[in-house]
Amino acid sequence: MIKQVIAGVKRTLGLHRPGRSLLILPDDTFLVSYPKSGNTWARLLIANLLSPEKPADFQAINELVPDPESETKRHFARMPRPRVIKSHFVFDPRYPRVIYIVRDPRDVVISEYHYQRKTRRIADGYPLAEYVEHFIAGDTYPNNGSWGQHVGSWLMSRHDDPRLLLVRYEDLLSNSERELGRIATFLSISASTDRLAEVIRLSSADRMRELEAWQTDASSLMRGSRKDVAFVRTAKSGGWKSELPASLAEKIETAWGPLMGYLQYELQFPPRYRDLDPTALVRSGV
């Protein structure tokens, strides 16, 4: 009874987390990705774009690029427009504009595995092979579906739609200035070459590790988690080649090879078909 009263008061005052019930405004832009695909890094980059006077930190990204599952309804109501909002949700037709970050699922599963260790959802000795099976089935983040379902839902629904900006995590790593420039343009933010370079420096993996060391509890992603397992790990692409056994990589490619090929991820095992558009890939059930 007391919990219900407290929840009611919070809702009345706008102190509850809105989640999917967030009131979406026509000029909102959503930063969307499947979990562990580089969303936190992208949030920091965007937060630094939005905050030229003061370098953004983990507290600032909660304020500047908030998550409806972590921040209050009141916070969203008080944000200046246009807003940039984080999301891990599958396709939502209400989202007016979307920056979609996609990452090689073979790297995603490794990042996920270690993050689940950090948050104590799995033990250190949990079998990676078993985790990969759950990952493919969409059981590791059941509210978000599998990697293929999540990515496919957005590519199918917004393919060639100017309201969606597709950014590969790997391209953001290898050509940060170009990709950040695309993001800034999409957000109608004017940024010189020098400004882009400064934002990239302020959002580097080394700086994120520094922030993690002294601001862990400022992020809902790390609050209460293990301190002996890093949140910011290698911050590189292709780590799966040394951490993921070939048999497990093959299982992931078997599940989503055509979609991975469409996204120009190098495959170790021949795909069944190539050069299909994403709508055909999703219709075919891959």
Side-chain angles (χ1 to χ4, degrees):
M1 181 64 179
I2 294 177
K3 289 183 178 180
Q4 292 176 330
V5 171
I6 293 174
V9 171
K10 283 186 173 182
R11 186 167 291 275
T12 299
L13 297 177
L15 298 178
H16 65 290
R17 299 180 180 104
R20 290 183 183 273
S21 67
L22 175 71
L23 176 63
I24 296 173
L25 304 177
D27 55 352
D28 285 341
T29 297
F30 284 80
L31 175 65
V32 182
S33 73
Y34 188 75
K36 307 311 297 174
S37 297
N39 196 296
T40 301
W41 179 36
R43 286 175 80 193
L44 186 59
L45 285 164
I46 292 172
N48 274 310
L49 276 175
L50 295 171
S51 181
E53 303 301 324
K54 180 182 178 181
D57 54 20
F58 285 150
Q59 182 60 47
I61 66 174
N62 294 334
E63 298 169 0
L64 297 170
V65 190
D67 181 349
E69 294 190 296
S70 300
E71 299 303 316
T72 66
K73 179 182 178 181
R74 177 186 288 183
H75 177 80
F76 286 95
R78 293 177 173 178
M79 286 180 69
R81 296 173 61 177
R83 306 181 301 185
V84 183
I85 300 168
K86 170 198 171 180
S87 174
H88 281 319
F89 295 145
V90 294
F91 176 70
D92 189 325
R94 300 175 302 156
Y95 289 9
R97 305 173 77 249
V98 170
I99 300 168
Y100 191 85
I101 310 293
V102 66
R103 185 182 186 185
D104 188 325
R106 296 164 297 191
D107 276 328
V108 172
V109 72
I110 294 297
S111 182
E112 253 194 38
Y113 178 84
H114 291 295
Y115 179 67
Q116 300 267 26
R117 289 177 52 238
K118 180 175 179 61
T119 55
R120 300 183 178 88
R121 294 175 187 169
I122 61 173
D124 284 345
Y126 193 87
L128 182 57
E130 186 173 337
Y131 192 88
V132 169
E133 293 288 349
H134 289 300
F135 173 73
I136 293 171
D139 296 334
T140 55
Y141 285 97
N143 292 334
N144 306 113
S146 70
W147 179 90
Q149 291 167 335
H150 197 285
V151 175
S153 74
W154 283 101
L155 294 189
M156 177 184 72
S157 303
R158 293 279 175 93
H159 179 52
D160 284 339
D161 189 323
R163 295 174 298 168
L164 181 139
L165 178 69
L166 179 65
V167 179
R168 294 196 330 156
Y169 172 81
E170 295 77 14
D171 295 334
L172 194 56
L173 277 173
S174 64
N175 199 331
S176 300
E177 184 176 309
R178 181 193 67 197
E179 296 303 300
L180 183 59
R182 292 176 65 223
I183 290 171
T185 299
F186 191 75
L187 293 173
S188 299
I189 296 174
S190 179
S192 66
T193 299
D194 288 345
R195 175 62 184 148
L196 292 175
E198 177 70 359
V199 167
I200 292 166
R201 184 187 68 81
L202 292 172
S203 310
S204 68
D206 286 342
R207 181 162 185 269
M208 288 182 71
R209 292 187 185 100
E210 292 176 3
L211 293 175
E212 180 181 353
W214 59 273
Q215 244 187 355
T216 294
D217 290 335
S219 171
S220 61
L221 295 171
M222 291 178 277
R223 195 172 298 131
S225 66
R226 291 172 55 176
K227 303 299 187 288
D228 61 324
V229 179
F231 176 75
V232 182
R233 297 178 58 251
T234 61
K236 296 179 180 179
S237 63
W240 66 269
K241 294 177 182 178
S242 61
E243 294 193 56
L244 194 66
S247 61
L248 299 183
E250 183 176 12
K251 286 185 177 183
I252 292 173
E253 292 186 19
T254 298
W256 303 312
L259 183 55
M260 293 169 66
Y262 173 80
L263 291 165
Q264 299 182 1
Y265 290 124
E266 182 182 354
L267 303 178
Q268 303 298 305
F269 305 93
R272 287 179 289 149
Y273 20 70
R274 285 182 173 274
D275 302 324
L276 295 179
D277 67 71
T279 57
L281 293 174
V282 173
R283 287 196 303 268
S284 69
V286 296

